[in-house]
Amino acid sequence: MTDMSTFWWERITGPRLLTEAVARATEDGVSPILLLDHPLPWQEQMQDLIAKHGNARIQTLSLPDELGQDEVIPELITGLRGVSDPICPTEYKFQLNYLRNENILNGTLVWIDLDGQGDCNALLKLVSDYKSRSMESGGAFVITLPADYPLPGSLSSRLQPIRLADLIRPGDALLFANIMADEIQSIAPELKAYAANAAMQLSQGDVEQIPGILRGVNFQEEDPAQAMPRLWREGLLPWPQVEPDQGDLAQRVWKAQLQSAFAPIELERLRLTAKYSAIIENALHTEYWNPLKERIGYVWQKEDNLQKASDVELGTLVWMMALRKNEDRTQFLLYLPEEGLRQWICFLTECRNHLAHHHVVLPQDFCRLLTELAREDEDNRLLAGALPNGIA
C-alpha cells in the first residue's frame, strides 16, 4: 500500500473532495475557513497536495489570540518574513493597501490554525477585506476553526466556510479502517470488520489513530476500551487532550459490536428457524407445561400468538426448549437432538441480549461469536454450491 496519509487524502472520497475544494478555492484567491469537529489528520500531507495542485508555497502561521485590527497585518508580515517590517503603516486601511501593493502574499497560501478560544474577528475581517484575484497575483488564506465557532453573520464572497463533517463522513473513516485492517496479518479474517468498526469508533474521527489502534489491540483477547489507556501509556497513540472515561470508551466498543454482529445474529436466527421450521411450528401448536411455574398454555411472544417459525425470537426458542409437552410431561416441547446446537442457540441468545441491553460482550465470547458465524456462513456457501441448480 502507498503511504497511509497519501491514501487517505487521495483515494478516500470525502478527504479527496475536501482537498479538491480547498485547492479550487485558493487557486481563485478565495480563502476557505475549515470548520473542524475533530482534528484534521495528516495536515502537512494535505497541505503538500494543495500546494502541488495550485503551484503555491504554503506557510503555516500561529498568530496571538484577540489581536486588534491594526495589529493583524504587522503580525502576519512578521510571521511570513521572520522579522518585523519597519515601514508597515500603523493604520489598518493603509496596512491593507501596503499588503496588496507590495505583493507580499503573491503565490503564497497562508495557513492559520486557530483554537477559537479568543476573538478571531479581526483576522476574519482582514481575510474578507483582502481581495485576491488568484493565487499567483494575490495569494490566499486557509483558516481552521472549531466547528462551533460563531462566524460573523455576513461574510465576504472571498471567504468560503467549509465544514469538515459535510465532506468527511464516518463512512470514510470506516472504509479507511477496513482497508487498514485488511493489511494487518495479526487480525483474524473473521475479526477484521469488527476491528475496523472498533478502531473507527474509538478514534472519534481522528483517523490518524486508527492504524495504531488496529496494530496495538489484540482483538481476540483484549477489550479495545480497556486497551486504550495502555496504548496511551506506551506511546502507541497520542495522549488525548480530554481523556474519555471508561464508560464512554465501553459504549463506543458496544456500538462497534452492535454494528458488527447484530445483523449476522438475526440472519443466523432466520437460518435456524427455517431449517427446523417443522418441529418449531409443531411445538407452537402444542400445549405446554411449565414445570417451574406449574402452568399450562400455548407459546406467546409478548402480545403475539405465534404461528410461523420465522417469527420466533432466540429467547423464545430457549424458553421453548425448557418447557414440556402437557400431554406427555416427560418430553420437551421443543427438542433439538444435538447438544451443540442447543448450546449454540443459548450462546446466540446471551450475546444478543447483551447487545440489546447496551452491554459489551466479553472479548473471548465475541471472538467465538464472529468465528462461529463466519464458519456457518462458509458451510452454507459450500453446501449451496454443492447442491443441484434449483435446490436450496
Side-chain angles (χ1 to χ4, degrees), residues 25-26 29-33 127 130 139-143 157-161:
T26 55
V30 176
S31 295
I33 303 174
V127 179
Y130 179 77
F141 296 84
V142 172
I143 299 172
S157 61
R158 310 309 294 171
L159 280 174
Q160 181 183 356

Side-chain angles (χ1 to χ4, degrees), residues 279-295:
I279 58 174
I280 292 173
E281 289 179 3
N282 182 63
L284 291 176
H285 296 94
T286 300
E287 189 176 46
Y288 70 76
W289 172 62
N290 186 339
L292 294 179
K293 296 186 177 181
E294 288 290 335
R295 183 179 298 170

Side-chain angles (χ1 to χ4, degrees), residues 297-309:
Y298 290 89
V299 173
W300 283 61
Q301 188 171 269
K302 296 181 180 177
E303 302 297 324
D304 296 331
N305 181 9
L306 294 169
Q307 300 295 319
K308 296 188 300 182

